[in-house]
Amino acid sequence: MSQLSQPRKPDLLLNSVRREAIAGEPFADHRKLKVCVLAACPFPANHGTPGSIRELAEATAERGHEVHVVSYHMGDNLPLHGVHHHRIADWTGERRVVVGPTRRRPLYDFQMIFTAMHVMRKYKLDLMHAHGYEAAMVAGCVRPFVRRPVLYSAHNSMGDELASYDFFRSRKLADMLAWVLDNTVPRIGNRCLPHSTNLQEFLLAKGLASRSEPVLNFGIDVESLPVVDRAKLRTQLGLGDDPIILYSGVIDKFQRLDLLLEAMVHVLRVEPRAKLLIFSTIQHPKHERALLDEAARLGVDRSLILRVPSDMEKGRKLISLCDIAVVPRPSAPGFPIKLLNYMAASRPCVMFASSASRVNHGEHVWLAAKDTSESLGGAIVQLLKNRELRHRIADGGHRFVCEHHDRRVVSGHLVEAYTKMLKQTRHWKQVAQRPAAVPVWHKEKQQELALAGYLQGKVEIHATA
């Protein structure tokens, strides 16, 4: 069943300079498009991929386009603004949000084929935007019946991730399946859209240069960043003034929190008061127990604080507590959404150089040169020792997010990719006859001008009287 959330209340305090700059972009007069976004996952959900899908879908809708999201039946209780949401039927009663493969996911993917086909036909949509591997396979099954193009969004590769979930008993079998998926699934899309330079290189290495778009940054709503009193929040949580190193996100093995725990051994030798604060965005007792056991083995358990925020907004606010935020995964193929959240909260960030995509060492982040815990610990210590450097990187990272990851600008480039793909199809003749999409902020500006004119008229009439 389609669910269209209520539009966000107009923000009359939106910076007028930024609004005019966005409104004047060359892609501001696109024809109105009707898009089916395939999210083969719990949605909406408070972690990486579902979070990035939500931001792109909402921002595309804000541009005046019709957006329908097809997803699994479960998800977190998060608002969706201006987006039609269609969930598959709840056949299993499963509610828990899980990252990675499960025994029931093939069933959910199979259900998505028929739900997506129904949505495409009922609402006469123009294209399918498939986020990730399973969504691409769903789109590949639907396309022959609806005859609409597919844009494949590359969020990750399977070669460095699938085996880490411990879903398969045989590591060799997992690696073989990952190889097959990496070499076939991206080819399903009429066009491929990488979300990091690492993924762009991955697609090029697979021989997909002719159908690959330029890198599309993930976007966030920079107008809704939480304002937090850090000192007050620290006092409320009893953290005092000890140095806080933070990780926020899922705690599955592929995130390599083992490297972060090992790095803390080196950090504590220099700064014994330091604390490692881990915010797990998805509750997972097995992984939490493993983290605590590993911390005890390394002797850093007294410096570890593990929390599970009750909702996304609270989690975003808690990021502001830390002195340093860390992305501990080396050679990450995608652009970590957690990094955007860190930088948006003006926190200085440490990550491995092998995972860096379009961020500069010493300007936006601080990079650990080698993919080792010693190198990561050394980078953290360098920042802890230099307050001025922390402030400089925090400011630089915040500017980087506002300049390159504002979802309003990112969505413009996404619609450009949609339009480019549709122009190569016969269906474009129908799309071209539609009126131009009218972004929400244009409507808001018109409302403000009308209100200003009305108030001015009242003042003039009153003065005349």
Side-chain angles (χ1 to χ4, degrees), residues 31 53 88 119 281 287 293 419:
R31 301 300 94 185
I53 296 172
I88 62 173
V119 170
T281 51
H287 292 331
D293 289 345
T419 302

Side-chain angles (χ1 to χ4, degrees), residues 181-207:
L181 293 172
D182 282 341
N183 284 277
T184 57
V185 173
R187 300 180 187 280
I188 292 174
N190 297 78
R191 303 292 299 174
C192 297
L193 189 66
H195 291 292
S196 72
T197 53
N198 290 342
L199 284 169
Q200 183 182 51
E201 292 170 2
F202 168 79
L203 293 174
L204 296 180
K206 298 300 179 184

Side-chain angles (χ1 to χ4, degrees), residues 108-126:
Y108 301 154
D109 296 336
F110 181 70
Q111 289 180 258
M112 277 193 64
I113 295 172
F114 298 97
T115 303
M117 197 180 305
H118 170 73
V119 170
M120 288 292 296
R121 286 174 170 173
K122 180 178 179 179
Y123 298 98
K124 299 179 180 179
L125 307 185
D126 302 319

Side-chain angles (χ1 to χ4, degrees), residues 50-334:
S52 63
I53 296 172
R54 176 172 170 256
E55 294 279 7
L56 286 176
E58 287 189 343
T60 303
E62 283 181 355
R63 281 194 167 271
H65 301 282
E66 183 178 331
V67 180
H68 297 254
V69 178
V70 177
S71 74
Y72 290 175
H73 63 277
M74 80 283 274
D76 293 330
N77 185 24
L78 299 173
L80 279 173
H81 298 289
V83 175
H84 299 268
H85 189 197
H86 311 265
R87 284 181 165 142
I88 62 173
D90 183 1
W91 288 357
T92 65
E94 184 178 14
R95 292 288 181 273
R96 184 164 167 250
V97 175
V98 178
V99 177
T102 67
R103 292 181 180 180
R104 292 174 174 173
R105 285 189 77 137
L107 171 62
Y108 301 154
D109 296 336
F110 181 70
Q111 289 180 258
M112 277 193 64
I113 295 172
F114 298 97
T115 303
M117 197 180 305
H118 170 73
V119 170
M120 288 292 296
R121 286 174 170 173
K122 180 178 179 179
Y123 298 98
K124 299 179 180 179
L125 307 185
D126 302 319
L127 62 98
M128 289 177 283
H129 185 177
H131 287 271
Y133 282 67
E134 290 164 282
M137 289 187 282
V138 170
C141 294
V142 174
R143 180 168 50 191
F145 299 96
V146 299
R147 297 184 180 182
R148 290 292 181 264
V150 176
L151 179 67
Y152 166 66
S153 256
H155 289 253
N156 65 313
S157 64
M158 286 294 175
D160 68 332
E161 186 170 312
L162 188 60
S164 70
Y165 291 111
D166 290 337
F167 179 74
F168 299 94
R169 292 184 179 181
S170 168
R171 169 96 190 197
K172 185 176 181 181
L173 175 62
D175 289 338
M176 288 177 59
L177 178 58
W179 184 89
V180 171
L181 293 172
D182 282 341
N183 284 277
T184 57
V185 173
R187 300 180 187 280
I188 292 174
N190 297 78
R191 303 292 299 174
C192 297
L193 189 66
H195 291 292
S196 72
T197 53
N198 290 342
L199 284 169
Q200 183 182 51
E201 292 170 2
F202 168 79
L203 293 174
L204 296 180
K206 298 300 179 184
L208 295 169
S210 63
R211 68 175 74 178
S212 290
E213 295 291 329
V215 173
L216 180 77
N217 294 332
F218 286 129
I220 62 173
D221 188 354
V222 298
E223 303 297 340
S224 65
L225 300 177
V227 178
V228 180
D229 185 334
R230 294 182 65 230
K232 182 178 179 181
L233 194 55
R234 277 193 176 219
T235 301
Q236 289 176 349
L237 296 177
L239 294 176
D241 60 352
D242 292 339
I244 302 294
I245 296 106
L246 174 133
Y247 169 85
S248 177
V250 298
I251 56 175
D252 296 68
K253 286 186 178 180
F254 70 90
Q255 296 291 355
R256 298 306 307 271
L257 292 176
D258 57 315
L259 289 175
L260 181 54
L261 290 174
E262 292 171 4
M264 283 300 296
V265 175
H266 304 282
V267 172
L268 291 171
R269 290 172 184 165
V270 179
E271 181 50 80
R273 296 187 305 118
K275 298 290 189 297
L276 173 59
L277 185 58
I278 295 180
F279 290 141
S280 175
T281 51
I282 297 179
Q283 191 167 16
H284 199 304
K286 180 181 176 181
H287 292 331
E288 291 167 14
R289 184 71 260 167
L291 270 178
L292 295 173
D293 289 345
E294 179 65 7
R297 187 186 70 81
L298 294 170
V300 300
D301 50 313
R302 292 185 178 180
S303 300
L304 173 63
I305 303 171
L306 181 60
R307 299 274 180 121
V308 182
S310 57
D311 58 66
M312 184 178 70
E313 191 63 21
K314 183 177 180 181
R316 292 176 70 190
K317 289 180 178 179
L318 292 177
I319 290 174
S320 301
L321 288 172
C322 72
D323 297 285
I324 295 172
V326 183
V327 179
R329 183 180 178 183
S331 301

Side-chain angles (χ1 to χ4, degrees), residues 431-452:
V431 177
Q433 294 175 1
R434 295 177 191 160
V438 181
V440 169
W441 54 89
H442 283 191
K443 295 179 181 178
E444 292 174 6
K445 182 180 179 181
Q446 292 172 358
Q447 291 172 355
E448 290 175 16
L449 290 174
L451 178 61

